[in-house]
Amino acid sequence: MDADKVFKALGDPTRRTLLDLLCEKNGQTLGELCDHLDMTRQSATQHIGLLEAANLVTTVRRGREKLHFINPVPLHEVYERWVRKFERQRLSLLHDLKKELEGE
Amino acid sequence: MDADKVFKALGDPTRRTLLDLLCEKNGQTLGELCDHLDMTRQSATQHIGLLEAANLVTTVRRGREKLHFINPVPLHEVYERWVRKFERQRLSLLHDLKKELEGE
DNA sequence: CCAATATGCAGGCATTTACCTGCATGTCAA
DNA sequence: TTGACATGCAGGTAAATGCCTGCATATTGG
């Protein structure tokens, strides 16, 4: 997994909206997705390109259409690497801060 | 939670490194953190500013020092909102794609 | 007090990003 | 076949980002 690509891809509201749209209805065409976005098709294409580069979305061509599918695997890897790590120490981390605020 | 600030904050390798550094040793000063980064103190300060804005890091002043603490809560909220949602549908999402690749 | 230390603030610059317009290509259906 | 439809590709611009230098402020220890 390229963590940087995944995080950068997630760091834009339009691209997160695209993932939400695909979560509601997987396999949508480019045109369908654009109908829900307030920008030109070309701009949306660029966003999707980043999602593909991050491997968060996979596309399949069907005739003149391009179908889009979510790939949940990178998100899971982000969770394993970034969320669980801090989650595991959640209480102790807050404990450190509390102690400091109390003056040692 | 401001999802956009959190994702934008996570979308930079320097800032993820900072979180890792704080996970190894919570409550470090600005100077300590800078020792591990290949950039000026001023640049690091800007990165930390974004982490604070995203509420991923909390700071406490102690004399002339500034101590930094991780706040794991936003990360957990990211997980709840963005990872679990897709995780829950993981199998069915892949199923959709498989069906499409097989030609319906 | 005063020099060393730790951090804050302002501005400048190069790169990246996000958006656009204009045009090209490929596919379907009558 | 041909017009309508779905998408691809190539720039161009304004704003955001990341990094820097230079200087200001505040705290501590001798």
Side-chain angles (χ1 to χ4, degrees):
Chain A
M1 170 191 58
D2 187 328
D4 203 53
K5 285 185 181 175
V6 174
F7 278 115
K8 286 241 167 73
L10 291 171
D12 180 277
T14 299
R15 294 191 284 272
R16 293 196 299 275
T17 298
L18 281 166
L19 291 181
D20 275 337
L21 288 171
L22 288 179
C23 202
E24 288 175 19
K25 179 166 175 284
N26 212 12
Q28 293 186 65
T29 67
L30 176 59
E32 283 179 284
L33 292 173
C34 286
D35 288 343
H36 297 278
L37 299 179
D38 189 26
M39 62 180 60
T40 64
R41 173 182 54 79
Q42 287 84 345
S43 297
T45 300
Q46 288 186 326
H47 284 295
I48 291 171
L50 294 186
L51 289 172
E52 289 185 63
N55 203 28
L56 285 163
V57 164
T58 301
T59 60
V60 178
R61 263 214 107 101
R62 186 179 62 189
R64 61 182 163 182
E65 290 175 321
K66 186 183 178 191
L67 308 183
H68 300 75
F69 297 85
I70 290 189
N71 177 17
V73 176
L75 274 171
H76 184 68
E77 291 175 350
V78 160
Y79 165 65
E80 287 292 339
R81 165 67 179 84
W82 287 96
V83 180
R84 277 186 63 183
K85 174 176 184 178
F86 301 112
E87 190 69 15
R88 229 174 295 130
Q89 308 185 31
R90 191 174 183 182
L91 292 179
S92 67
L93 291 174
L94 290 176
H95 179 77
D96 295 342
L97 175 59
K98 187 154 172 284
K99 279 295 179 191
E100 181 59 36
L101 289 175
E102 289 170 352
E104 178 73 14
Chain B
M1 173 191 56
D2 187 328
D4 203 53
K5 286 184 180 175
V6 174
F7 278 115
K8 287 240 167 76
L10 291 171
D12 179 277
T14 298
R15 293 192 285 271
R16 292 196 300 275
T17 298
L18 282 167
L19 291 181
D20 275 338
L21 288 171
L22 288 179
C23 202
E24 288 175 19
K25 178 165 176 283
N26 212 13
Q28 292 186 67
T29 67
L30 177 58
E32 284 179 283
L33 292 173
C34 286
D35 289 342
H36 297 278
L37 298 179
D38 190 26
M39 62 181 60
T40 63
R41 174 182 53 81
Q42 287 84 344
S43 297
T45 299
Q46 288 185 327
H47 284 296
I48 290 171
L50 294 186
L51 290 172
E52 289 186 64
N55 203 28
L56 285 162
V57 164
T58 301
T59 60
V60 177
R61 262 214 107 101
R62 186 178 63 187
R64 63 183 163 182
E65 291 176 321
K66 187 184 177 190
L67 307 183
H68 300 75
F69 297 86
I70 290 187
N71 177 16
V73 176
L75 275 171
H76 184 68
E77 291 176 351
V78 159
Y79 165 65
E80 286 292 339
R81 165 68 178 84
W82 286 96
V83 180
R84 278 188 62 183
K85 174 176 184 178
F86 301 112
E87 191 69 13
R88 228 174 296 130
Q89 308 185 34
R90 191 174 183 180
L91 292 178
S92 68
L93 291 173
L94 290 176
H95 179 77
D96 295 342
L97 174 58
K98 187 155 172 284
K99 279 295 179 191
E100 181 60 36
L101 288 175
E102 287 169 353
E104 182 68 13

